Amino acid sequence: MNTQYNETTAKKILTEAKGYLDVGFTHSLNPYSGCGFSCLYCYVREMPIQKFKDQPWGEWVDMKTNAAANYKNEIQKLRKKSKPVHIFMSSATDPYQPIEREANITRGLLEAMIEFPPDFLQIQTRGPLIKRDIDLLVELKERCKLLVSMTVETDREDIKRIFAPYAPGIKLRLRVLQELHDAGISTQASISPVLPFTPEFPKVLEGKVDHIWIDTLSIGDGSMGKRSERLGMPQLFRENGLEKWYQKNLHVKVEKYFKKYFPDEMVRVSKDEAFLK
Ligand code: SF4
């Protein structure tokens, strides 16, 4: 993927949570705009930030160079109002873009959070680069509630290559999940969106995660499946002979399957508000 990187400054870095994030999270935080991983199913492709852009999704990434400074200002203001701060990082990008290795924007944010911790931070990523920041995460978990959620849509590399050819490999993500877990950091495997997997998938996750999150293209795209349809997902499943995996009630079946291997309280399904409270 030929991605163009641009430095930018953002007016604000914390965005008040809306829609599906409006349960449990008070704010989303996107250190970047755009995403070099360019997953074919990504619902952000259907959002205004991409719809009004003249470059294809995946080919542009804006780096918010003032993210840490903004965060420090904004959290101090929120603290003056005694408001709880539960952050989801990130909802419309991945905080561990490959350029993060040099840009250090997410790392700068973690440093700022150690100084001014939120009440809760969930990091949502599929970037193995998060391993670099284990030192900061270990420190941060002593200052606030922290959950690292690694997207593992499937345990099959061949399936990942169809749906997210530019995203990091599954084995690499699993290895990093193990390292995070071994470092005492609370971890989650986000099977989101559920893609076809092998029967061994639950066993692959054993000992690596504290939680499992299940979400599908039908219930997790913010429009009950309409965005996924516009992105051509039903066709892509069909073209690859995978249509039996594209079902409205897939989350029910997957939840049942994973609960055979994990205690009920470990397995959560999108829109399961109980977990977020
Ligand atoms: S990593 Fe996330 S934000 Fe990036 S393309 Fe994939 S789904 Fe979209």
Side-chain angles (χ1 to χ4, degrees):
M1 173 68 52
N2 220 350
T3 305
Q4 186 186 318
Y5 296 100
N6 313 297
E7 288 194 354
T8 179
T9 51
K11 280 201 191 118
K12 281 190 79 194
I13 198 70
L14 291 173
T15 306
E16 271 186 43
K18 288 192 286 248
Y20 73 98
L21 284 177
D22 195 14
V23 219
F25 295 99
T26 59
H27 296 86
S28 61
L29 194 169
N30 291 287
Y32 297 88
S33 298
C35 183
F37 292 150
S38 193
C39 312
L40 298 184
Y41 52 71
C42 180
Y43 62 77
V44 187
R45 291 170 178 270
E46 282 292 309
M47 292 171 75
I49 193 169
Q50 177 58 38
K51 283 278 184 202
F52 299 113
K53 194 88 184 173
D54 47 15
Q55 281 169 292
W57 184 245
E59 293 189 13
W60 62 277
V61 170
D62 292 345
M63 307 183 284
K64 301 179 186 174
T65 53
N66 61 341
N70 274 354
Y71 172 80
K72 285 187 194 178
N73 287 338
E74 291 167 39
I75 184 114
Q76 288 183 83
K77 281 186 195 149
L78 288 166
R79 287 301 183 216
K80 276 190 196 138
K81 294 181 195 158
S82 304
K83 289 206 170 165
V85 182
H86 296 182
I87 298 174
F88 187 87
M89 180 170 88
S90 298
S91 56
T93 185
D94 192 302
Y96 286 95
Q97 296 293 312
I99 194 73
E100 167 63 21
R101 196 178 293 282
E102 294 97 55
N104 287 312
I105 292 170
T106 299
R107 187 166 173 88
L109 279 162
L110 294 179
E111 285 165 346
M113 286 182 194
I114 288 171
E115 202 179 335
F116 299 102
D119 298 291
F120 174 48
L121 171 68
Q122 177 168 331
I123 301 177
Q124 185 63 51
T125 185
R126 67 201 74 204
L129 180 58
I130 191 172
K131 177 183 160 166
R132 177 200 65 183
D133 292 344
I134 287 183
D135 57 337
L136 297 182
L137 297 172
V138 166
E139 220 178 310
L140 186 57
K141 81 178 171 64
E142 299 305 323
R143 318 267 344 254
C144 72
K145 193 172 168 213
L146 173 69
L147 177 65
V148 173
S149 180
M150 178 73 77
T151 305
V152 195
E153 319 93 302
T154 171
D155 59 339
R156 289 177 56 181
E157 300 282 0
D158 60 330
I159 292 289
K160 188 222 67 112
R161 280 194 291 273
I162 295 170
F163 292 90
Y166 300 105
I170 300 294
K171 278 205 188 82
L172 208 51
R173 299 187 215 174
L174 289 169
R175 217 174 300 143
V176 172
L177 255 182
Q178 184 79 68
E179 286 182 51
L180 291 159
H181 192 254
D182 291 350
I185 296 160
S186 187
T187 53
Q188 172 169 280
S190 180
I191 310 175
S192 170
V194 172
L195 296 179
F197 56 79
T198 74
E200 281 72 46
F201 195 12
K203 289 193 196 126
V204 168
L205 296 177
E206 259 170 26
K208 297 180 177 65
V209 295
D210 303 291
H211 305 284
I212 289 168
W213 175 255
I214 295 166
D215 210 343
T216 68
L217 290 166
S218 300
I219 61 168
D221 68 347
S223 66
M224 289 316 279
K226 290 203 175 66
R227 282 187 184 137
S228 300
E229 279 169 28
R230 285 201 294 272
L231 290 170
M233 287 302 109
Q235 293 92 306
L236 192 56
F237 274 70
R238 256 197 319 275
E239 279 163 22
N240 288 281
L242 303 167
E243 54 273 34
K244 72 169 180 163
W245 288 88
Y246 201 92
Q247 303 172 8
K248 286 234 176 314
N249 67 345
L250 183 66
H251 59 288
V252 178
K253 293 182 180 172
V254 176
E255 178 186 15
K256 208 167 154 197
Y257 186 66
F258 274 80
K259 282 186 172 171
K260 283 190 203 160
Y261 295 86
F262 295 100
D264 285 8
E265 60 277 12
M266 265 185 83
V267 182
R268 305 155 172 178
V269 180
S270 180
K271 304 282 177 197
D272 186 352
E273 297 179 15
F275 121 83
L276 293 163
K277 298 261 162 75

